Amino acid sequence: MGASVPASPEILLTILLFAMSCLWAFPEVAGAKHAGITRHYKFNIKLTNVTRLCHTKSMVTVNGKFPGPRVVAREGDRLVVKVVNHVPNNISIHWHGIRQLQSGWADGPEYITQCPIQTNQTYVHNFTVTGQRGTLFWHAHLSWLRASVYGPLIIFPKRNVSYPFAKPHKEVTIMLGEWFNADTEAVISQALQTGGGPNVSEAYTFNGLPGPLYNCSENKTYKLKVKPGKTYLLRLINAALNDDLFFSIANHTFTVVEVDATYAKPFETNLLVITPGQTTNVLLKTKPIAPNASFYMLARPYFTGQGTFDNTTVAGILEYETSSNSTAFKPTLPPINGTNFVANFTRKLRSLANSRFPVNVPQTVDKKFFFTVGLGNSPCPKNQTCQGPNGTKFAASVNNISMALPSSALLQSYFFKKSNGVFTSDFPSSPLHPFNYTGTPPNNTFVANGTKLVVVPFNTSVEVVMQGTRIFGAESHPLHLHGFNFYVVGEGFGNFDPNNDPKNFNLVDPVERNTVGVPTAGWVAIRFHADNPGVWFMHCHFDVHLSWGLRMAWIVLDGTLPSQKLPPPPSDLPKC
């Protein structure tokens, strides 16, 4: 045998640099032998010229990317994200679906947990991913900047912990989004001024690409190349501003295995519906032999309201690596107003509810709330012409209260006991003026305005029934709760019946989520443990409804133990 030759310093340096580059490119392999490492990211908020549909515009981005960069962690890791604002706009970043246990200061919604990050300011989001794994995403949480400021947040299980399903051949993230030719800040500003509905997007996108069904977009098409006989994990994220979306791939079926970063009982389907703010992980098993064909993946909106919407379809293409792609197949999507399909799909969702991933749904409830959610209107100011219903302005509300954002952050005001003049804690637990919510609208459709919060003691078991209304048309509302996961224990059409509907609640294996669609002209019931101290936002994830005031907030008081108390804010918390 020949003698071994020591490596030269140049070779050792090359090996070291290669290893470091691998850790930078694939941060999930860092700290392979250690649990709970700290991962650092830097978000430079900057203006970038982006071209879609043969239209170039300057838009706010993170690190010049549209969509923004992928953030990766493992369960138990700490994320430290330095956000530096280089644009004229204020900015805030929300880590959608992260529980933020004892780290509410990092949650991000403007004027709720922090003041916005102003031009040339910096803020470091510092939080630990506790008890979570799966697909989430991050996005701007100020006005309509979410249109371009968003990206995936992928949480892998702890090292050497497997998925509760067979390991896929490859994992693929697909972000559903919207493209506006206009500046989205100008779009919502004009709508709020006139009181009418905003202009809609020109296109939907897969990972920022509109695809071949849109003008001038053949070379801006998302393509998924696959091998035959393999299983792929698709991580689907709906980051669109204002639309629930159907999704399908021609001649292929999915196995749903996770929603909103919680594992679900697997079931097969060839169609998905995903509301803004929701994520869905599916297993895609490719055909055993590569066909001489390609397959369109399509997404288009689910919509039942009376206003205008972007009635277009985004296409991507699934291609087999060894195929000639001589034929292209398109899937069949449900009708635009396919409410029955949506209901049938959501009712299939169940938690795993096994010994490894148990269900912790409250079996009894300390506090019950009944919230109406929907559209209303407000008077047109004097000497102004408004384009809303009957010459008024559109508004949206929870229990007929359209939330006015304060000029200082609610969490800071609460923590430092300076709430006077900022908010009150008298948000009603049920509508002050009941009516036939899904029937004939009341005579008075004006909403009230205010900044009212709900206060609950630490570890209160909470039930919230969210009742959709049809004052100005019935439509679904994707409601997102910050700081918590909740269990969807029941849903139905029409008005909620407090005497009979709870008898059919699922308290065995209800799906666990952070965003749920309130059914069109129907209701949904959720339960959760208020075990996270702080101030937590709850709002519609249609940004137009959020802008019109369909939002409210919870205060969860500190518990008695140190681990149940919210610590003081970091020194660099943005100031108003």
Side-chain angles (χ1 to χ4, degrees), residues 20 141 319 535 556:
M20 292 176 66
H141 212 303
E319 296 178 338
V535 176
V556 178

Side-chain angles (χ1 to χ4, degrees), residues 330-373:
K330 287 185 178 181
T332 300
L333 294 175
I336 293 291
N337 60 351
T339 296
N340 287 335
F341 169 80
V342 173
N344 291 334
F345 177 81
T346 57
R347 287 168 183 164
K348 293 177 184 176
L349 295 169
R350 294 284 188 270
S351 290
L352 270 183
N354 58 23
S355 57
R356 185 178 167 194
F357 299 101
V359 160
N360 190 30
V361 58
Q363 299 296 307
T364 59
V365 174
D366 298 323
K367 288 188 177 291
K368 292 186 178 182
F369 299 88
F370 182 78
F371 291 165
T372 57
V373 294

Side-chain angles (χ1 to χ4, degrees), residues 268-279:
E268 287 194 357
T269 180
N270 60 356
L271 288 161
L272 304 172
V273 61
I274 314 176
T275 77
Q278 288 184 341
T279 65

Side-chain angles (χ1 to χ4, degrees), residues 1-16:
M1 294 178 61
S4 60
V5 179
S8 69
E10 292 80 4
I11 293 176
L12 290 174
L13 179 60
T14 300
I15 293 173
L16 176 62

Side-chain angles (χ1 to χ4, degrees), residues 134-135 154 156 163 171-174 233-237 281:
T135 302
I154 309 301
F156 291 100
Y163 296 132
E171 302 186 9
V172 178
T173 300
I174 300 176
L233 179 66
L234 305 186
R235 299 177 179 269
L236 296 156
I237 301 166
N281 280 11

Side-chain angles (χ1 to χ4, degrees), residues 299-321:
R300 79 173 181 204
Y302 160 61
F303 183 79
T304 61
Q306 294 184 346
T308 57
F309 66 102
D310 182 352
N311 187 12
T312 63
T313 301
V314 57
I317 298 176
L318 183 146
E319 296 178 338
Y320 284 75
E321 291 183 355

Side-chain angles (χ1 to χ4, degrees), residues 96-97 131-136 153 155 258-263 279-281 485 512-514:
H96 185 108
Q132 294 183 274
R133 81 295 302 164
T135 302
L136 296 171
L153 173 54
I155 307 167
E258 178 200 302
V259 292
D260 290 3
T262 60
Y263 296 128
T279 65
T280 304
N281 280 11
N485 280 356
E512 186 178 353
R513 309 210 69 144
N514 62 59

Side-chain angles (χ1 to χ4, degrees), residues 218-285:
E218 188 73 34
N219 65 343
K220 299 285 187 183
T221 299
Y222 174 70
K223 294 184 178 181
L224 173 58
K225 293 187 178 293
V226 298
K227 296 180 179 181
K230 300 292 185 182
T231 299
Y232 292 78
L233 179 66
L234 305 186
R235 299 177 179 269
L236 296 156
I237 301 166
N238 187 349
L241 279 190
N242 293 312
D243 293 280
D244 300 328
L245 293 170
F246 294 120
F247 175 85
S248 184
I249 301 178
N251 296 9
H252 289 74
T253 59
F254 314 115
T255 301
V256 176
V257 293
E258 178 200 302
V259 292
D260 290 3
T262 60
Y263 296 128
K265 281 187 171 69
F267 67 92
E268 287 194 357
T269 180
N270 60 356
L271 288 161
L272 304 172
V273 61
I274 314 176
T275 77
Q278 288 184 341
T279 65
T280 304
N281 280 11
V282 299
L283 297 176
L284 171 71
K285 190 167 185 178

